[in-house]
Amino acid sequence: MSIVIASGKRKTAIARAIIKPGIGRVRINSVLLEVYEPKFIRMLISEPLLLLDEQTRKMYDIDVIVQGGGFMGQAQAIRTAIARGLIKITNREDIKALYSAYDRSLIVGDPRQAEPKKPRGRSARAKRQKSYR
């Protein structure tokens, strides 16, 4: 059988998912998804798996390595990597259509990033007041 490596990005978080035939285990940085905290993040990450049927879900083991960014960016990068990897390893167009109909950001990354701070101000757009007198 084959092994598929897929990646996902969100802001500065980068996730790499390694998907191989197995019994349905999902590990994120060597931590099982069932014990991953907080619960909301666990539910967000498991969305691409819950959309699949039980048989397809139990066919593959998924190991994800994620780094950078905050916990929400990491969660969204992980779900994108898992969804892309499952589409690639199953090679089924119906799964791609299902993910696209549910939430397009499962497949297509969101390129928006925080605007960097500029000189002479405390944030990206705010500037110090100045007087010309």
Side-chain angles (χ1 to χ4, degrees):
M1 294 292 266
S2 64
I3 296 175
V4 167
I5 299 173
S7 67
K9 287 183 179 181
R10 174 72 179 120
K11 293 186 177 178
T12 57
I14 299 173
R16 288 180 194 86
I18 301 163
I19 301 176
K20 54 192 169 191
I23 58 171
R25 276 186 296 226
V26 179
R27 283 189 232 135
I28 298 150
N29 289 339
S30 303
V31 177
L32 284 172
L33 182 61
E34 290 82 26
V35 295
Y36 202 76
E37 289 292 333
K39 185 178 179 185
F40 174 71
I41 298 298
R42 188 182 333 137
M43 297 301 292
L44 191 69
I45 292 169
S46 61
E47 273 181 353
L49 299 167
L50 295 174
L51 291 172
L52 296 176
D53 57 271
E54 184 79 21
Q55 184 183 6
T56 308
R57 195 181 322 150
K58 299 271 181 189
M59 285 174 61
Y60 303 105
D61 281 350
I62 302 170
D63 287 321
V64 181
I65 300 165
V66 63
Q67 56 189 1
F71 65 93
M72 282 304 291
Q74 285 188 347
Q76 291 172 353
I78 291 168
R79 69 196 284 257
T80 301
I82 290 174
R84 285 179 180 170
L86 287 171
I87 290 169
K88 200 171 176 183
I89 200 164
T90 57
N91 205 13
R92 289 174 35 192
E93 286 295 319
D94 61 329
I95 293 176
K96 186 175 182 178
L98 177 73
Y99 286 161
S100 186
Y102 178 74
D103 186 0
R104 190 169 177 264
S105 69
L106 279 173
I107 303 168
V108 180
D110 187 357
R112 293 179 295 173
Q113 295 212 350
E115 187 175 341
K117 180 189 170 300
K118 313 287 186 311
R120 291 193 326 105
R122 57 178 171 79
S123 65
R125 300 288 171 112
K127 300 286 179 228
R128 267 186 242 127
Q129 285 186 341
K130 69 179 183 183
S131 171
Y132 292 99
R133 292 178 181 240

